[in-house]
Amino acid sequence: MKKWNVAAIRAAKGVRKLGCATAYDACFARLADEAGVPILLVGDSMGMTTLGFETTIPVTMEHTLMATAAVARAAKDALVVADMPFGSYQCGADEAVANAVKCLKAGADAVKLEGGESFAPLIRRFVECGIPVLAHVGMMPQSVNEYGGFKRQGKTREAAEKIMRDARAVEAAGAFAVTLECIPSDLAAEITSCLGIVTIGVGAGGGCDAQWLVMHDLLGLNANPPPFARKYADFADEARKAFARYVDDVANGAFPS
Ligand code: KIV
């Protein structure tokens, strides 16, 4: 398989649906890459999946850069996208560009940021600087404090129209793809048919061009996965059993042998 790049992702629209996933370390990034996952997102969901926070808000540039470098070292074919953490691009365009550049220098092929119309000028600036952008509209987890929880968005007509405007604005600004998170599936399908760029849904139904699954949901490592996720393996159960067998083996002298 040839390395996935932004042009190949753009070309997949209407040709092939893409199953994309998050990754936060070299070990799992290697496995996902070998399995043919086209995009590995170093998601700020790492705050919840691996760092034990309640939300993505506490994730820092240091967390993101360390995880991005690890994933990029392991991913041979996948496009590696660094998810810009809260505060790293809301701080003024120059600092935002400097932070995005750090992500690319750490090994990312592109960055992702949350925001629609109001972030379109920043997306354009990134693209002009040679930084490919994967946008994110709909439910934006970094706005959890504004929503008062991780709540589905786009339920009223006005809210749906706003999300459509956001999606059109990020496309016009030069984003090569857009994440549609937790919005009604008919709205996601309509956005997908209106846009020329790839839509990547998460909790947004099957009408998108591609899907995200958070790795911990996909592998059964998350005790409370969202209802729309699908578990393809039960790693938590396997790991618990393996740790317990090991503890017993040491206690009863079976290991080391
Ligand atoms: O951080 C993340 O995992 C994400 C995806 C679910 C889109 O933003």
Side-chain angles (χ1 to χ4, degrees):
M1 171 67 213
K2 232 169 65 218
K3 165 94 182 153
W4 282 92
N5 56 30
V6 164
I9 300 296
R10 280 185 182 276
K13 179 145 184 127
V15 176
R16 173 179 167 186
K17 291 212 175 199
L18 305 173
C20 309
T22 63
Y24 317 102
D25 64 29
C27 169
F28 283 102
R30 180 168 299 112
L31 299 175
D33 186 72
E34 286 170 359
V37 176
I39 306 181
L40 288 176
L41 172 67
V42 186
D44 62 354
S45 50
M46 88 177 89
M48 299 159 84
T49 56
T50 67
L51 300 176
F53 296 123
E54 293 288 321
T55 71
T56 60
I57 301 292
V59 176
T60 64
M61 274 301 291
E62 287 69 31
H63 295 135
T64 300
L65 293 176
M66 189 178 290
T68 297
V71 169
R73 279 192 287 272
K76 300 285 174 261
D77 296 331
L79 186 90
V80 175
V81 179
D83 204 4
M84 296 196 69
F86 182 64
S88 70
Y89 59 96
Q90 294 89 345
C91 46
D94 290 343
E95 200 176 331
V97 169
N99 284 330
V101 166
K102 283 183 193 162
C103 292
L104 263 59
K105 289 201 183 281
D109 300 303
V111 299
K112 178 168 90 57
L113 57 85
E114 297 179 10
E117 286 178 302
S118 55
F119 280 85
L122 184 64
I123 293 174
R124 187 167 291 114
R125 172 91 189 270
F126 277 19
V127 174
E128 281 167 4
C129 292
I131 302 164
V133 178
L134 199 164
H136 185 148
V137 305
M139 204 280 279
M140 295 177 281
Q142 293 177 11
S143 299
V144 61
N145 291 326
E146 195 184 321
Y147 303 144
F150 296 108
K151 297 191 175 145
R152 260 189 123 61
Q153 299 296 306
K155 289 196 276 196
T156 64
R157 193 190 159 93
E158 296 72 44
E161 283 172 2
K162 166 74 177 123
I163 295 171
M164 174 62 88
R165 284 202 305 279
D166 284 340
R168 287 187 191 279
V170 299
E171 172 173 41
F176 70 90
V178 59
T179 294
L180 304 177
E181 179 157 2
C182 286
I183 61 171
S185 51
D186 54 349
L187 173 61
E190 194 189 338
I191 293 172
T192 301
S193 67
C194 287
L195 297 193
I197 57 172
V198 165
T199 60
I200 313 181
V202 51
C208 299
D209 297 306
Q211 296 291 323
W212 290 119
L213 265 184
V214 165
M215 189 187 70
H216 286 53
D217 297 340
L218 190 161
L219 296 179
L221 284 164
N222 182 359
N224 294 304
F228 56 78
R230 185 175 293 175
K231 186 160 109 176
Y232 284 87
D234 198 340
F235 275 34
D237 192 48
E238 285 300 314
R240 227 177 272 113
K241 284 191 207 144
F243 285 124
R245 274 208 317 275
Y246 165 64
V247 169
D248 283 352
D249 279 359
V250 172
N252 63 31
F255 178 82
S257 54

